[in-house]
Amino acid sequence: MSHTLGIRQAQKQKTRQALLDAALGLLEEQSLSSLGLREVTRAVGVAPTAFYRHFRSIADLGVALVDEALGSLHPMVRTTVSATRGIDERITRAVELIERHVATHPAHVRFIARERHGGVQPVREAVQAQLARFTDEVKTEVAKDPEAAGWSDEDLLMLAQLYVDQMLITSSLFLDALEESQEERERVAQVATRQLRLISIGRRHWLD
Amino acid sequence: MSHTLGIRQAQKQKTRQALLDAALGLLEEQSLSSLGLREVTRAVGVAPTAFYRHFRSIADLGVALVDEALGSLHPMVRTTVSATRGIDERITRAVELIERHVATHPAHVRFIARERHGGVQPVREAVQAQLARFTDEVKTEVAKDPEAAGWSDEDLLMLAQLYVDQMLITSSLFLDALEESQEERERVAQVATRQLRLISIGRRHWLD
DNA sequence: TCATCCAGTTAACAACTGTTCTCCGGAATT
DNA sequence: AATTCCGGAGAACAGTTGTTAACTGGATGA
């Protein structure tokens, strides 16, 4: 299935990726709505007009960045939330997985946290759409758990939302703790673990 | 105590407030890091150079906006979270209060949601500082509840954080629902209520 | 081999930005 | 009544921005 594309399209994708990478780097200390087209091309080393060969606008590039940051994350969610193993082990594993992902993709995490409520509408909508997909996936996974017997659809949805938001909050906290000490990171992990545990307990007694 | 200030300082505060209001309006469709000094003064109707009489920079104005948006909110928190009345009534009242606040101060809520993780460091830090104050207030209020007997300091903190984050998430959802139907707003209220109820249940069985 | 395609370049455009310095006129102080 | 103070205006600065048009040269396909 892997179609070997000509040296022409290969070069094009290469500079396209360079534009995305440069933009992501510049966005560590500003928001998308203040990112300039020339700023990005200058960082890559191409002419400003070359930008238009790949994106219609900065907002367009932003949407592409959203897909890059969240698109490849879906398989991870399924395997993590699924009801294998014990509860405590699952929680520990989930927190570890978040910490590792933040450590390996800090710029992506920062970008999503920043632009989720940012000033560029199409990007905001792209983030919301991806998060809605996540929520739905978590919901169907949660529904499989025997503990969810007798739960209404609305109850499942509110729990899934709670989990997704919790994941984002924890990611952001890990991100802030990245530049600090190892103890700080452990404290974040501890708090996140306890919060997930409390949610677990609430979940267990929901139908009382 | 109300010191009647001269007509000179009164005028100054008036234009200062006009700058803040204009900035807040412009920030509904962009982020602070892309807000221009001239843009703000133009909206107010004063010369660009007049800006420097009130703020050192746009970031400085942003910090002032954070204080305006969150500073006057502390008394509300205390009275809402405090352990008077029954649990369900308290939850309903809290959600109502959030909904009303978002409806009356949408621009402020949007600003905080946007700049909490935004591209301007001093503003980000100002938001974090105010939220830390909130968390601490919620924590001391939660600690007063008889249900919190035997809770460690770390447990109290993680619960307070959970409440504060939940408040922010709910605010943001209400904000999005403002431009939509009344049913949408009721659905947000319903989800938020259920989530708070689940947290309550988890809290009750925490020490099992 | 030759014509076509197309990613990237060059040059130029009007419009905009933050910041400095100098000045004005009315309020505040003596 | 005379003087100081100070919020705001005006003009000018070098530098930046997004977008257009026409062009170049190497890959592509007939």
Side-chain angles (χ1 to χ4, degrees), chain B residues 156-169:
Chain B
L156 289 170
L157 189 68
M158 78 92 185
L159 181 61
Q161 261 185 256
L162 201 53
Y163 277 136
V164 170
D165 283 327
Q166 194 60 28
M167 181 188 89
L168 291 173
I169 291 167

Side-chain angles (χ1 to χ4, degrees), chain B residues 83-130:
Chain B
T84 55
R85 292 179 297 256
I87 296 176
D88 281 332
E89 192 187 346
R90 206 154 79 222
I91 289 175
T92 308
R93 173 143 177 73
V95 173
E96 273 176 5
L97 221 141
I98 292 173
E99 179 172 11
R100 206 166 307 145
H101 184 262
V102 173
T104 51
H105 306 84
H108 280 116
V109 173
R110 168 166 289 125
F111 171 73
I112 294 299
R114 189 158 288 171
E115 301 304 329
R116 182 187 185 188
H117 304 282
V120 183
Q121 205 195 28
V123 174
R124 240 165 31 223
E125 285 169 354
V127 175
Q128 305 296 351
Q130 291 276 10

Side-chain angles (χ1 to χ4, degrees), chain A residues 125-200:
Chain A
E125 285 169 354
V127 175
Q128 306 296 350
Q130 291 276 11
L131 292 185
R133 280 186 57 196
F134 274 113
T135 306
D136 208 61
E137 286 170 14
V138 170
K139 185 183 138 197
T140 60
E141 213 60 44
V142 162
K144 289 181 187 169
D145 195 295
E147 215 171 46
W151 281 51
S152 75
D153 201 70
E154 285 150 329
D155 284 343
L156 289 170
L157 188 66
M158 78 92 186
L159 182 61
Q161 262 186 256
L162 200 54
Y163 276 135
V164 170
D165 283 326
Q166 194 60 27
M167 179 188 91
L168 291 173
I169 291 167
T170 303
S171 297
S172 170
L173 287 174
F174 270 129
L175 188 64
D176 292 342
L178 258 193
E179 296 145 336
E180 310 206 15
S181 61
Q182 165 72 16
E183 292 97 41
E184 194 59 32
R185 260 167 285 154
E186 276 167 9
R187 271 180 47 194
V188 171
Q190 196 201 45
V191 169
T193 304
R194 289 182 193 220
Q195 289 175 339
L196 282 177
R197 202 170 284 152
L198 187 137
I199 292 175
S200 264

Side-chain angles (χ1 to χ4, degrees), chain B:
Chain B
M1 188 54 216
S2 77
H3 190 269
T4 308
L5 60 177
I7 97 174
R8 194 160 187 163
Q9 299 205 27
Q11 259 300 335
K12 179 166 185 180
Q13 284 211 351
K14 202 172 168 184
T15 56
R16 187 191 132 102
Q17 191 58 47
L19 288 169
L20 288 170
D21 293 347
L24 198 61
L26 291 165
L27 284 172
E28 303 218 17
E29 11 196 85
Q30 64 181 309
S31 347
L32 190 69
S33 80
S34 71
L35 183 66
L37 172 160
R38 297 182 99 106
E39 204 177 346
V40 178
T41 56
R42 193 187 311 132
V44 174
V46 297
T49 50
F51 182 89
Y52 293 105
R53 301 290 181 195
H54 303 275
F55 305 102
R56 202 183 302 271
S57 63
I58 283 287
D60 201 24
L61 177 144
V63 172
L65 271 181
V66 172
D67 293 343
E68 181 179 292
L70 292 180
S72 66
L73 218 60
H74 291 273
M76 198 177 100
V77 175
R78 291 200 103 77
T79 58
T80 310
V81 187
S82 66
T84 55
R85 292 179 297 256
I87 296 176
D88 281 332
E89 192 187 346
R90 206 154 79 222
I91 289 175
T92 308
R93 173 143 177 73
V95 173
E96 273 176 5
L97 221 141
I98 292 173
E99 179 172 11
R100 206 166 307 145
H101 184 262
V102 173
T104 51
H105 306 84
H108 280 116
V109 173
R110 168 166 289 125
F111 171 73
I112 294 299
R114 189 158 288 171
E115 301 304 329
R116 182 187 185 188
H117 304 282
V120 183
Q121 205 195 28
V123 174
R124 240 165 31 223
E125 285 169 354
V127 175
Q128 305 296 351
Q130 291 276 10
L131 292 185
R133 281 186 57 196
F134 275 113
T135 306
D136 208 61
E137 287 170 12
V138 170
K139 185 183 138 197
T140 60
E141 214 61 43
V142 162
K144 290 180 187 170
D145 196 295
E147 213 172 48
W151 281 51
S152 76
D153 201 70
E154 285 150 329
D155 284 344
L156 289 170
L157 189 68
M158 78 92 185
L159 181 61
Q161 261 185 256
L162 201 53
Y163 277 136
V164 170
D165 283 327
Q166 194 60 28
M167 181 188 89
L168 291 173
I169 291 167
T170 304
S171 297
S172 171
L173 288 174
F174 271 129
L175 188 64
D176 292 343
L178 259 193
E179 296 145 337
E180 311 207 17
S181 61
Q182 165 71 16
E183 292 97 41
E184 193 59 30
R185 258 166 285 155
E186 276 166 10
R187 271 180 47 193
V188 171
Q190 195 201 46
V191 169
T193 303
R194 289 183 192 219
Q195 287 175 338
L196 282 177
R197 202 170 284 153
L198 187 139
I199 293 175
S200 263
I201 296 175
R203 186 180 165 186
R204 195 176 309 134
H205 296 85
W206 181 246
L207 292 180
D208 298 354

